[in-house]
Amino acid sequence: MKNKWIVYLLALAVFLIGTIEYIISGILPIVAEDLGITTSTAGSLVTSFALSAAIGAPVVIAATIRVDRKKMLLIMLGIFILSSCLVYISDSLEMMLMTRMVQGLSGGTATVIAMAVATRMVEERNRGRAIGTILMGLSSSLVLGVPIGTLLSETMGWRTLFIIAGLLTVIPLLAVFAKVPSITEQKAITLGMQLSILKDKKMVLAVAITLLYIGGYSSLFTFISPYLQQSTDLTATALSGILLIAGICSFAGSKVGGGIADAKGSKFTIYAGLSIQAGTLLLLTWFNGSIYAVIPLIMIWMAATWATSPAQQLYLVTLVPQSPDIALSVNTSFIQFGFALGSGIGGLVISSSSIGNLGWFGLVMVLVALLLAVRLFAYDKVAEHAMRL
């Protein structure tokens, strides 16, 4: 694969963007104490990033589709770097929310453009590998970025972590400036084209499943640190170790899920992933007072959730085979909507009842997603039966 190191540096940029998005979950109590707000209110910092990425990124990409992709990537990475450094002086909730919105808009846009640029920098036969490498950077932020950030937060201060991530992003920015040629999209993917696929009832059901199962995941994961510490006073080292293992499970889950989807089909994998996700959330609500029961359940839950993701994306591509890029772009927005929905609901649950109840609300969302999957796949059976006739 030619220009391999450029693709790896683009993956580094996406890794840092993902780390900035998810790291709040690992240091939520520290951030809440520093800003003088409740833990539930601090969860809005996850919501604001996700909503900004979900809504803003598709709009920016559509509005600038004729602009040189290299120029847009440099601008978005530059804004992301500045906003990450701005965290250091954001001493109020309002200023932090604005900073997170800018991070979400610039980071979300940069991630999508990085995938597009990566496909232009390699041979056509290696475009799938290039996209996979970029997405691996994003998933690796859960495996490495969040636990490392949690571990370092006590010694370096949580604001310093954002500065470091921002400064490290200068490396891929310089690589893009020096080595990436001017790139103009040959085929414009407008916002209207992205929204048009939602006229299909099956597509609406499919992205609703994404919204709900990611929402069920986010409602608990956003507040994972205080959730784990509700019955046991964990040190930063112990907490970061648990998050590291959980991240590895999510990474392994996505790998295994992709393999099962190829072998058994996307529908089987989606059913299995959602069912295990629901089952572990139910068990978490029963055993949330025992850290020794909660930790292995968290591992299984993380693996099941991320095993569903590749199968869901594979199924979406089969729904819109003529425009797979559009289908995946829309699904990416609904993933971010799911993070926003889950973190918002989780914050409401904590502020109105108990953090131990997060599992119940996550369970409800995943069960609704499972019911929608049954409904969606029933349409496929009807269509297959009609074709045989």
Side-chain angles (χ1 to χ4, degrees), residues 138-158:
L138 188 59
S139 61
S140 296
S141 64
L142 278 172
V143 180
L144 297 174
V146 175
I148 290 174
T150 303
L151 179 63
L152 296 178
S153 60
E154 281 196 355
T155 56
M156 304 181 66
W158 69 273

Side-chain angles (χ1 to χ4, degrees), residues 113-254:
I113 296 177
M115 283 191 281
V117 169
T119 61
R120 303 301 194 279
M121 297 297 293
V122 301
E123 304 91 339
E124 187 171 351
R125 68 178 184 276
N126 288 322
R127 287 181 175 178
R129 288 176 59 194
I131 292 174
T133 301
I134 300 298
L135 292 176
M136 192 178 295
L138 188 59
S139 61
S140 296
S141 64
L142 278 172
V143 180
L144 297 174
V146 175
I148 290 174
T150 303
L151 179 63
L152 296 178
S153 60
E154 281 196 355
T155 56
M156 304 181 66
W158 69 273
R159 295 179 188 272
T160 305
L161 300 176
F162 285 82
I163 298 288
I164 293 172
L167 293 178
L168 286 174
T169 310
V170 172
I171 298 172
L173 182 144
L174 292 175
V176 171
F177 178 78
K179 296 296 182 180
V180 173
S182 295
I183 299 171
T184 303
E185 292 292 347
Q186 300 298 316
K187 181 182 178 181
I189 301 176
T190 65
L191 184 62
M193 292 169 64
Q194 295 181 57
L195 294 176
S196 66
I197 67 172
L198 295 178
K199 294 177 182 178
D200 184 344
K201 185 183 294 186
K202 290 171 64 175
M203 190 68 188
V204 171
L205 284 173
V207 295
I209 292 168
T210 295
L211 174 72
L212 288 167
Y213 89 80
I214 291 294
Y217 168 79
S218 176
S219 63
L220 179 55
F221 184 76
T222 299
F223 303 95
I224 192 68
S225 290
Y227 183 84
L228 289 170
Q229 291 178 313
Q230 63 178 318
S231 58
T232 306
D233 187 18
L234 298 171
T235 64
T237 302
L239 182 59
S240 63
I242 294 170
L243 292 175
L244 176 61
I245 297 171
I248 292 171
C249 287
S250 69
F251 187 79
S254 64

Side-chain angles (χ1 to χ4, degrees), residues 259-375:
I260 295 175
D262 285 337
K264 297 285 188 178
S266 56
K267 296 176 187 178
F268 173 87
T269 311
I270 291 169
Y271 274 141
L274 292 177
S275 298
I276 297 172
Q277 189 182 355
T280 49
L281 284 170
L282 179 61
L283 291 173
L284 281 169
T285 61
W286 290 345
F287 296 105
N288 69 60
S290 171
I291 190 69
Y292 297 106
V294 165
I295 291 175
L297 287 172
I298 289 289
M299 306 303 138
I300 298 170
W301 170 67
M302 291 279 283
T305 301
W306 290 101
T308 309
S309 182
Q312 178 74 351
Q313 296 192 57
L314 178 62
Y315 180 77
L316 283 161
V317 169
T318 64
L319 287 181
V320 196
Q322 71 281 8
S323 304
D325 292 347
I326 297 179
L328 295 177
S329 174
V330 171
N331 190 56
T332 299
S333 288
F334 273 84
I335 288 174
Q336 293 291 356
F337 278 129
F339 274 109
L341 174 67
S343 58
I345 289 176
L348 290 174
V349 171
I350 292 176
S351 61
S352 60
S353 59
S354 165
I355 196 169
N357 290 328
L358 287 175
W360 287 114
F361 287 84
L363 173 61
V364 170
M365 282 189 276
V366 175
L367 286 176
V368 175
L370 187 56
L371 290 174
L372 289 179
V374 173
R375 178 64 173 168

Side-chain angles (χ1 to χ4, degrees), residues 24-40:
I24 290 290
S25 300
I27 57 174
L28 206 62
I30 300 173
V31 175
E33 182 180 358
D34 191 27
L35 293 175
I37 57 178
T38 63
T39 302
S40 59

